[in-house]
Amino acid sequence: MISSDETVDVIIVGGGLTGLCAAIEAGRIGLSAILLESQPELGGSAPMSGAFFAFAGTPLQKIQNVDDNPALLLKDLVESGQGESDENLLSVYANRQLELYDWLGEQGVKFGAVGQGAGQSVARNHWTDSKQLVRTLIQRCESDSNIRVLKHAKASRLTEGPHNSGVTGCVVEQASERITINSRGGVFLTTGGFSSGPDLLRIFAPLTMRALPHGPAGSTGEGLKMAWKLGAGLRDMGRVHSTFGAHPDSKRGHLDTLAAYYGGGIIVNKNGERFVDESVNYKELGDAALLQPDGLSFQIFDQKIMQKFISGELSSSGALSYDFNGYLERGLVFSANTVKELAVLCGINPDVLSETLAEYNASVEGGIDGRFGRRGLCNGVGTLIKLESAPFFAFPSRSFLSATYCGLAIDRHCRVMDVFGDPIRGLYAAGEVTGGFHGAGYMSGTAHGKGALFGRIGIESIARSLAEAVPNHSSGGVQ
Ligand SMILES: Cc1cc2nc3c(=O)[nH]c(=O)nc-3n(C[C@H](O)[C@H](O)[C@H](O)COP(=O)(O)OP(=O)(O)OC[C@H]3O[C@@H](n4cnc5c(N)ncnc54)[C@H](O)[C@@H]3O)c2cc1C
């Protein structure tokens, strides 16, 4: 435990990817920092994540002959957000993401194959091993003497100085102790979302309470509540989406997922009817599926599609390497020689499912999906194919909630804005606790990217404000 008379340059609340990058940057430029983490371990949601980062214009893309650049990334980001994102934040990301790519490389993070994710007009999802990512960043953090890491230490309230002088520290609960710690530069909230916070979900995203819960234990929304109490503005709160499609018997933290629709499968509800254009973003699929009877649906596919997955044709980035044989053995994927037999296994009316497939196959012959007008598969990539090669397969699916991607209003310097758009002095935020970046949609790989980048930007801002307040403050290297 630390003592309450200690004062540091910055208090970083939350030791996920955003907080770790912030702490490393603080140490690098010579700020003294305390990193508080409420859970027993650092890492937040990163260890359970797919670990994709959206970068544009990297050497890895060039090797794979992917023609990409920051301007195209920005265009895609604006489109993904459907015009509701804060373009200031998007521009910062587009302009500085290559620098982040290099910075992560300098920390020892290694990226592998590049694949195309939701909302990306070209392949720009850079995959890294999530465990290695977190291990590397934690090691960097823990080996820097400027950084004090406190685990099991929950910030429960922000403290303010007299005469509207702004946020000066926070109350910390660790074991049975409760103390106040102080900071010269302010408090940096990197506390993540509220996917495990039923009280906030009930207010802002009641539909998602029907989804399988899959957020990390520490994502309870405490940071958001602490800032909200001081009048913080909020963004994108009505835009929380669940993700499609995990097996209903999945255990929290170990989801069994499948995306057979990437290869040309269709999705039906338990009545055997299609209800959504399967080429849309997995978040839109997730929401549409939540509205179906019992929130239950089935991905239906055939042997041809199964073969595409097994052969690795659809597995360019590691994301789609499903253990099909394991799924079959465990009974997670149903298999039958006829569509009607498959329907019985799923508990669907056999005649309805047969009709659905017959209608679909007939329309695909004309090159266009008659019911929803789609002409291609996910992101428009891949052609529609008839589902006619036995055996037929079904994967029961539910939507799951892993992240919330909305929250505190910030400006391009990570200053938290109040409900009237003025900065709250001494209060900064970045990562999943913030809103404004994703707007109405979500581009895959940008949650990590924005967390890591704005984690560093928040520290730059704090260093700048310290230097302005105390001209000879020792922090170096700040532009
Ligand atoms: C299953 C899954 C897959 C994902 N896949 C991807 C992907 O492939 N690409 C991508 O870009 N994004 C992905 N994401 C999202 C991504 O992991 C996060 O949005 C991103 O890493 C944000 O990190 P963060 O540090 O802002 O928040 P978090 O990782 O949530 O970290 C916040 C930390 O703050 C701690 N904390 C909270 N409140 C307090 C408090 N009061 N006091 C002290 N500590 C506190 C929490 O315990 C936690 O450790 C995925 C998420 C999940 C769950």
Side-chain angles (χ1 to χ4, degrees), residues 7-200:
T7 300
V8 288
D9 289 328
V10 55
I11 299 168
I12 302 165
V13 186
L17 180 72
T18 310
L20 287 169
C21 292
I24 294 169
E25 187 65 8
R28 191 185 73 79
I29 62 174
L31 297 188
S32 59
I34 285 180
L35 176 62
L36 300 172
E37 171 53 56
S38 61
Q39 302 301 304
E41 297 302 333
L42 296 169
S45 61
M48 54 198 289
S49 78
F52 292 102
F53 284 71
F55 295 120
T58 64
L60 280 174
Q61 284 176 305
K62 288 198 181 86
I63 292 169
Q64 286 185 215
N65 292 321
V66 178
D67 189 11
D68 198 9
N69 58 66
L72 183 59
L73 168 64
L74 182 59
K75 180 174 170 288
D76 285 356
L77 283 169
V78 172
E79 276 171 21
S80 289
Q82 297 165 37
E84 290 192 28
S85 307
D86 177 345
E87 288 196 29
N88 287 313
L89 301 179
L90 300 185
S91 302
V92 172
Y93 184 72
N95 291 336
R96 293 193 59 183
Q97 42 86 32
L98 282 176
E99 172 203 316
L100 172 68
Y101 175 81
D102 290 339
W103 185 89
L104 287 167
E106 282 159 24
Q107 309 314 313
V109 177
K110 295 184 178 60
F111 291 102
V114 182
Q116 190 167 0
Q120 303 176 353
S121 59
V122 296
R124 64 167 71 101
N125 247 355
H126 292 63
W127 182 79
T128 184
D129 180 287
S130 61
K131 307 278 184 302
Q132 188 259 347
L133 166 75
V134 172
R135 237 186 350 258
T136 305
L137 297 179
I138 291 176
Q139 274 165 7
R140 293 300 274 207
C141 227
E142 292 184 334
S143 63
D144 191 323
S145 59
N146 284 324
I147 307 165
R148 294 268 305 275
V149 176
L150 296 183
K151 299 183 205 169
H152 285 295
K154 181 179 139 184
S156 56
R157 292 288 186 278
L158 296 168
T159 53
E160 294 174 281
H163 316 300
N164 296 324
S165 55
V167 173
T168 53
C170 63
V171 176
V172 186
E173 295 172 12
Q174 194 182 33
S176 54
E177 289 198 68
R178 189 182 158 94
I179 62 155
T180 300
I181 53 173
N182 300 304
S183 153
R184 285 177 281 274
V187 173
F188 192 7
L189 296 173
T190 56
T191 44
F194 53 93
S195 52
S196 300
D199 51 350
L200 291 179

